Amino acid sequence: MTERPPVVRLRVPTEEDALAWHRIFDDPEVMEFHGVTSTELSAYDELTARQRRHDAERGICLWTMLDESGEVIGFTGAQPWPHPSFGPVGEIEIGWRLGRAHWGKGYVTAAALATLERVRAAGVTEVVAMVNSLNARSIAVTRRLGMEQAESYTVPGSGTTAYCFRLKLEQVEDAARAGEVEPVQVRPVGNVDAATAVSAA
């Protein structure tokens, strides 16, 4: 019997979401591939504020991810690559981060599929994802999205290797028309968009 795919809701992060992100990401396993074991609340205050600016200016951002009950479980979305000195400078990066209690339930792939639809609707034609070379879970998500590894970068300071995956968004649209990818249904629910997952992470 096939499990019912999860429902995720995406919203522009609120000021209160900074505290929720700080709480659920304050976990060594969650932060393993982010170069730190914990991050101060002020960093999430700045990050959520920046995402609200991206939404206002571009119509895309890192959206807060909520489960069916309305609990904040992480974020996913897209933003301009934030580092000016290395990596895919000037390009739109998709990314995700999920609280440890919610791993393995399909949320990330579901939300990433919704992200691709939103980003394409905003007029973006290609996206990248930068993933630590040892992060097997996130690499698996990029494969499910149909992304292909392109370049590799050495991360300044840590010396770790990051893989850059790429996806042309017309490929996603063509696959959906051909029936190879079942479209994600996105419907408004108050001030929250509910994205129904079609694939398990």
Side-chain angles (χ1 to χ4, degrees), residues 23-93:
R23 175 179 52 80
I24 62 176
F25 298 150
D26 190 23
D27 183 311
E29 288 189 83
V30 173
M31 301 302 291
E32 179 181 3
F33 300 109
H34 297 283
V36 294
T37 56
S38 184
T39 302
E40 295 295 327
L41 175 59
S42 59
Y44 290 109
D45 286 330
E46 192 282 329
L47 180 58
T48 53
R50 190 192 326 148
Q51 300 315 311
R52 290 191 290 275
R53 291 195 299 272
H54 288 328
D55 175 70
E57 295 169 1
R58 298 172 177 265
I60 59 173
C61 67
L62 296 178
W63 293 287
T64 292
M65 191 190 315
L66 304 97
D67 66 10
E68 195 163 15
S69 71
E71 179 185 356
V72 174
I73 61 174
F75 68 63
T76 188
Q79 63 175 347
W81 174 248
H83 304 288
S85 59
F86 87 104
V89 177
E91 302 196 59
I92 298 297
E93 176 202 25

Side-chain angles (χ1 to χ4, degrees), residues 112-133:
L113 287 168
T115 289
L116 294 180
E117 289 192 357
R118 291 178 176 209
V119 171
R120 186 174 63 240
V124 178
T125 59
E126 183 175 1
V127 294
V128 299
M130 287 282 281
V131 182
N132 185 293
S133 62

